[in-house]
């Protein structure tokens, strides 16, 4: 899991526009700590605005954040957790599902307010 998350972070960094500012970027901060119990944390920051931090327990849980500037100069920020339920990223730049159409919402409400005959009579079949 740690490898997957680190790979995602590195891909995000690799997509940054390769111009002279990025080519001369320097690491301003780099800290890493891996403990005997399997827990770890790391963070780094570069002179061109890329930052990443993560903490967790190897193979079980991780949480962290990334930040970088896209080719248009907009700051992209991502926070995430990864655990037994999967990878859960959050960020304003991530796509969101479209709204549920009104007809579907009405149908769901009708179903909720009109249970099947078996449920109305107290007989639930499984």
């Amino acid at each position: 899991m740690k490898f997957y998350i680190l790979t995602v972070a590195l891909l995000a960094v690799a997509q940054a526009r390769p111009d002279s500012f990025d080519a001369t970027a320097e690491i301003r901060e780099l800290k890493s700590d891996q403990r005997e119990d399997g827990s770890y944390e790391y963070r780094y920051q570069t002179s061109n605005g890329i930052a990443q931090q993560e903490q967790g327990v190897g193979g079980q849980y991780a949480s962290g954040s990334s930040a970088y500037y896209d080719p248009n100069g907009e700051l992209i920020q991502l926070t995430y957790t990864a655990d037994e339920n999967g990878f859960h990223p959050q960020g304003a730049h991530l796509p969101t599902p479209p709204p549920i159409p009104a007809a579907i919402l009405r149908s769901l409400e009708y179903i909720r307010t009109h249970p099947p005959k078996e449920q109305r009579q107290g007989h639930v079949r499984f």
Side-chain angles (χ1 to χ4, degrees):
M1 185 178 327
K2 181 180 171 185
F3 176 75
Y4 173 74
I5 294 168
L6 188 57
T7 302
V8 170
L10 291 175
L11 287 174
V13 170
Q15 289 182 359
R17 182 176 42 185
D19 58 18
S20 61
F21 182 67
D22 288 331
T24 60
E26 298 176 355
I27 297 173
R28 292 199 171 156
E29 177 186 17
L30 175 60
K31 294 187 180 183
S32 178
D33 185 25
Q34 187 165 3
R35 298 175 203 89
E36 288 184 23
D37 64 357
S39 63
Y40 67 93
E41 61 181 295
Y42 72 87
R43 70 176 173 261
Y44 63 86
Q45 186 173 16
T46 64
S47 60
N48 62 345
I50 297 170
Q52 167 77 31
Q53 65 87 23
E54 181 178 293
Q55 58 279 332
V57 177
Q60 297 177 17
Y61 176 82
S63 64
S65 63
S66 297
Y68 64 94
Y69 289 91
D70 74 6
N72 297 322
E74 182 180 340
L75 179 62
I76 303 296
Q77 294 179 306
L78 175 75
T79 59
Y80 59 87
T81 58
D83 56 23
E84 67 275 0
N85 297 314
F87 181 68
H88 307 282
Q90 295 180 338
H93 65 292
L94 297 175
T96 57
I100 299 172
I104 300 298
L105 290 174
R106 287 191 304 273
S107 297
L108 292 171
E109 180 61 19
Y110 179 86
I111 291 168
R112 186 184 69 77
T113 58
H114 296 84
K117 184 177 180 181
E118 294 86 15
Q119 285 182 350
R120 289 192 306 256
Q121 295 174 352
H123 300 79
V124 179
R125 292 186 192 174
F126 291 100

